[in-house]
Amino acid sequence: RDPPEIALNRGTSPAESRKRERTLVWQMMQEVEQKGHCLTHVGGPGESRQAWIARFQGEGGMDYGGLYRDSLREMSAELQCQGGSLQLLLPCPNQRMATGSCQ
């Protein structure tokens, strides 16, 4: 079964200043719920398979992994933005102090 294609609109705002309804996380949840997608396409150990195919509205590109990784990076940023609308993930001490390699 092929992974679902998810249309996302990142707009012009950076992740930390997006309103909740404009975040990629929110858009992803809405798309999955409305269309009944199943995001269990990820393969086993050693397999490099995507859970979805990302398509950014108003932007060109074919998703051969790069747009998928970009959507994951943007969603991760939204979840850990201090002062952002989601704030689900807390920054680790290394990130708060801007030291070390694991930030």
Side-chain angles (χ1 to χ4, degrees), residues 59-75:
E59 301 179 32
M62 301 285 290
D63 192 359
Y64 292 102
L67 297 178
Y68 175 70
R69 285 189 302 274
D70 205 25
S71 67
L72 286 172
R73 183 190 55 76
E74 291 254 353
M75 284 189 260

Side-chain angles (χ1 to χ4, degrees), residues 58-102:
E59 301 179 32
M62 301 285 290
D63 192 359
Y64 292 102
L67 297 178
Y68 175 70
R69 285 189 302 274
D70 205 25
S71 67
L72 286 172
R73 183 190 55 76
E74 291 254 353
M75 284 189 260
S76 297
E78 291 172 350
L79 292 172
Q80 62 187 352
C81 283
Q82 294 182 10
S85 59
L86 298 176
Q87 283 186 305
L88 181 66
L89 304 176
L90 299 174
C92 68
N94 280 0
Q95 184 180 10
R96 286 193 307 268
M97 302 302 287
T99 60
S101 60
C102 297

